[in-house]
Amino acid sequence: LESQTRFLRILQERAVTPLGSQSTISVDFRLVCATHRNLEQAVRAGLFREDLYFRLNVFPVRLPPLRHRQSEFASLVQELWHELGNSFLVEIDVNELASFPWPGNVRQLKNVLCRYRLLEPYGTKLSMILAEETWNFKMGKVTSVCEQNGGYKIRSNAPCWDKIVTALEAHQYNKTHAAQSLGISRGCLCYQL
């Protein structure tokens, strides 16, 4: 909230004071902001200044998350896949991608497609990549997809570092066996390492 106050002052006065200086410098700029947070809720919760919200909310553009854009999803997937190589995805893969919740939106979709493009020649299936797709969900814990959308379910948190080291030592640093003993995939173990 303190930094929001400073930022609001800059927007109102159109001037900044450089670090270590006593004099202000006039600035002329147009501010464009983006957020994935619900700022109206943040204002109600007292986490975002109401006056700053109204100062920033000049021309709001709301973009629905990728999981709500089913009508254009297939064409977007094919376009992104085509950029990675001169081919098109089979319909089964497109349908599997469409059933995924995509908490990371288009950025996450691009990453998954890139990974699939790199690993597909080596026999890796798209379902394997999606099953291991992780992100920072709550309180810094890395977990798998949290919505039970299309068969993707919550997975347990990744094991702590001590358990990983112990499993690796017990299996003479064989990642496959260590991952099995930890109850995670080899890919998840490699990600943790």
Side-chain angles (χ1 to χ4, degrees):
L1 289 173
E2 183 182 336
S3 61
Q4 290 177 29
T5 304
R6 291 186 201 138
F7 188 55
L8 182 62
R9 187 172 300 124
I10 292 168
L11 291 174
Q12 289 172 338
E13 297 173 5
R14 305 294 246 171
V16 295
T17 305
L19 195 60
S21 175
Q22 298 296 327
S23 59
T24 60
I25 299 172
S26 295
V27 291
D28 184 20
F29 62 92
R30 181 171 306 271
L31 183 65
V32 178
C33 305
T35 183
H36 64 283
R37 302 197 186 279
N38 186 326
L39 291 183
E40 292 92 347
Q41 286 179 352
V43 169
R44 282 192 293 275
L47 301 173
F48 199 85
R49 290 181 58 107
E50 184 178 20
D51 49 355
L52 179 57
Y53 171 78
F54 286 115
R55 175 73 67 169
L56 297 175
N57 196 30
V58 176
F59 190 81
V61 177
R62 300 205 192 304
L63 297 175
L66 186 57
R67 64 186 165 275
H68 294 154
R69 293 162 49 192
Q70 292 299 317
S71 61
E72 61 185 294
F73 186 82
S75 60
L76 176 64
V77 166
Q78 293 294 6
E79 182 181 328
L80 293 172
W81 184 256
H82 190 71
E83 287 175 8
L84 293 170
N86 214 3
S87 66
F88 291 97
L89 270 175
V90 295
E91 189 175 344
I92 293 169
D93 286 343
V94 174
N95 291 338
E96 188 167 10
L97 289 166
S99 69
F100 195 80
W102 300 112
N105 289 306
V106 176
R107 191 173 304 126
Q108 184 184 20
L109 174 62
K110 283 182 178 181
N111 291 343
V112 165
L113 289 174
C114 184
R115 202 171 317 132
Y116 185 44
R117 173 63 82 186
L118 293 170
L119 297 175
E120 182 189 27
Y122 302 102
T124 301
K125 302 288 184 208
L126 181 60
S127 59
M128 295 165 64
I129 292 172
L130 291 175
E132 294 179 354
E133 187 60 15
T134 57
W135 76 94
N136 217 355
F137 182 58
K138 283 185 181 175
M139 299 183 298
K141 296 177 184 173
V142 178
T143 59
S144 293
V145 178
C146 70
E147 295 182 28
Q148 294 199 16
N149 189 353
Y152 298 101
K153 296 180 173 69
I154 295 174
R155 296 186 125 192
S156 61
N157 295 334
C160 68
W161 182 249
D162 293 338
K163 289 182 181 179
I164 291 173
V165 171
T166 303
L168 284 168
E169 289 172 350
H171 296 281
Q172 290 79 40
Y173 295 91
N174 182 315
K175 292 178 188 171
T176 302
H177 293 141
Q180 288 171 347
S181 73
L182 290 167
I184 59 175
S185 69
R186 186 179 190 282
C188 183
L189 176 62
C190 290
Y191 178 80
Q192 294 303 313
L193 292 174

